Amino acid sequence: MTYKHVFIFLISILFSCTSADRYIPSDVIPLNDMKLIVWDMMQAEEFARLKHNKDSNLLYPKTSEMFQQVMRIRKTDKENFYKSFTYYQSHPILNKILFDSVSAYASRQRQLLYKKIQ
């Protein structure tokens, strides 16, 4: 093998090692925006659960209503959110990055809340 062949071989290995699983198509909500939407959805669900825990008949409609409010605030719709969420769920590396960033964001929010209390 010549140096040219070795160089081409090394370059092909380098490009094959890049993860296609980290690629996010343009029609999927970007990771930072998705992090905030998922965080808000988790907050909305918990708020609805705390507020309507005695009447389970109201829990689902109120949760659904609050999810719609989150989507309206975050300027997305149900179809786009679920399409994006399904995309992240089907790509384990991106899904891990998403939920790790949501967890880190939650920790920062908790620290800010504790600072305000003190």
Side-chain angles (χ1 to χ4, degrees):
M1 273 173 122
T2 64
Y3 287 111
K4 182 179 178 182
H5 290 103
V6 171
F7 179 72
I8 291 172
F9 178 72
L10 290 175
I11 293 296
S12 65
I13 288 176
L14 179 68
F15 282 112
S16 67
C17 292
T18 59
S19 175
D21 200 29
R22 291 181 186 239
Y23 169 74
I24 300 174
S26 61
D27 60 338
V28 171
I29 299 171
L31 192 63
N32 284 334
D33 296 339
M34 193 67 177
K35 168 187 70 176
L36 296 174
I37 294 170
V38 170
W39 169 251
D40 288 345
M41 294 283 214
M42 291 168 63
Q43 296 288 357
E45 182 179 20
E46 187 63 24
F47 180 76
R49 186 174 305 156
L50 288 172
K51 189 171 181 181
H52 301 288
N53 66 347
K54 294 182 181 179
D55 189 0
S56 61
N57 291 331
L58 285 177
L59 183 60
Y60 178 76
K62 289 297 181 181
T63 303
S64 179
E65 179 183 319
M66 294 184 83
F67 283 175
Q68 290 174 0
Q69 288 177 355
V70 167
M71 288 183 212
R72 201 169 32 253
I73 291 169
R74 294 293 176 188
K75 296 179 176 71
T76 190
D77 58 3
K78 183 178 178 179
E79 293 79 24
N80 192 20
F81 171 74
Y82 283 113
K83 177 183 177 188
S84 299
F85 194 73
T86 303
Y87 181 82
Y88 285 105
Q89 291 290 312
S90 65
H91 292 80
I93 292 173
L94 289 174
N95 194 41
K96 181 175 179 358
I97 292 170
L98 173 64
F99 282 99
D100 284 349
S101 64
V102 170
S103 177
Y105 185 76
S107 294
R108 286 192 303 273
Q109 294 301 313
R110 185 173 34 254
Q111 288 173 355
L112 289 173
L113 181 63
Y114 288 153
K115 283 182 182 179
K116 287 180 182 179
I117 292 172
Q118 293 177 355

